[in-house]
Amino acid sequence: MSAAQLVGLGRSLFDRRLTHGRTGNISVRVNGGILVTPTGVSLGALDQADLSVIDVEGRHLEGPLPTKEAFLHAAVYRARPDAGAVVHLHSTYAVAVSCLADVDPADVLPPLTAYYAMRVGTLPLLPFHAPGDPALGPIAEQAARTHHALLLANHGSLVAGPDLLTAADAAEELEETARIHLLLRGHRTTTVPTADRTEDSR
């Protein structure tokens, strides 16, 4: 996965309002480390020269300072040796669901569509920590061992995949399902059978 693809995806996510302002961050595993977006730069204004390199422990190796949430990316890569990319978004509907008081923290969203069931599966809600709080790292690492998609309370989504496009697809499916879930609140619904949900336990 090239730096150009990471930059292009960042701009696409921003242009489609899947993250806003200078929120959200994305990364890919590369030879010698993890390529990650920098601190203080909008995903809509990325340049290849802006990208940082960290190691799997979250240490800054090269380039500008990484996002203050680089430790979350590193935690997911440690938990998931098969992960090639991580996408963290502050997308509107996923954030809205992360603020609800009446959700199951073990599985926040119901499997309303086949693609959600296949691309996300079960979605745990991690307890609130201020953005950049390293205390969230061990919690995220533990959860990521059995789930490739996480929802951070009052914050946003964190999704891993074998490559950047797969991780982004899952993050977008999570956002769309959050939107559908909110539209259906108060209505009786049917869900995808449990047997059709992705398995992600090791």
Side-chain angles (χ1 to χ4, degrees):
M1 184 60 65
S2 71
Q5 289 171 305
L6 190 154
V7 167
L9 176 66
R11 291 177 178 170
S12 173
L13 293 170
F14 180 86
D15 289 346
R16 290 180 292 127
R17 296 284 301 164
L18 286 161
T19 203
H20 59 277
R22 292 184 289 176
T23 65
N25 32 81
I26 53 183
S27 67
V28 293
R29 200 190 293 264
V30 295
N31 290 336
I34 298 159
L35 197 62
V36 64
T37 50
T39 188
V41 176
S42 166
L43 294 188
L46 284 175
D47 186 271
Q48 292 184 50
D50 294 329
L51 301 178
S52 304
V53 180
I54 62 171
D55 66 13
V56 76
E57 298 302 323
R59 293 180 292 243
H60 182 209
L61 300 179
E62 297 176 29
L65 285 176
T67 170
K68 65 185 174 184
E69 294 174 323
F71 70 93
L72 281 176
H73 293 253
V76 172
Y77 288 115
R78 289 194 301 272
R80 306 190 68 84
D82 58 333
V86 174
V87 174
H88 170 48
L89 300 177
H90 294 198
S91 53
T92 301
Y93 295 100
V95 172
V97 168
S98 83
C99 298
L100 295 176
D102 59 346
V103 297
D104 177 1
D107 193 10
V108 185
L109 282 172
L112 294 171
T113 70
Y115 279 105
Y116 179 83
M118 291 185 295
R119 291 177 174 168
V120 178
T122 58
L123 180 69
L125 179 69
L126 304 194
F128 175 76
H129 289 72
D133 183 351
L136 184 56
I139 299 170
E141 184 171 354
Q142 178 67 31
R145 291 187 181 124
T146 51
H147 299 85
H148 68 279
L150 312 172
L151 191 62
L152 314 181
N154 303 81
H155 187 160
S157 60
L158 184 69
V159 181
D163 55 70
L164 192 55
L165 295 182
T166 302
D169 282 347
E172 292 188 51
E173 201 65 46
L174 192 164
E175 172 67 0
E176 282 301 302
T177 301
R179 183 172 72 90
I180 295 166
H181 175 66
L182 292 170
L183 287 170
L184 291 172
R185 278 175 70 83
H187 298 274
R188 295 180 63 191
T189 61
T190 59
T191 58
V192 173
T194 302
D196 292 324
R197 301 182 76 174
T198 187
E199 293 294 331
D200 190 19
S201 58
R202 287 175 284 166

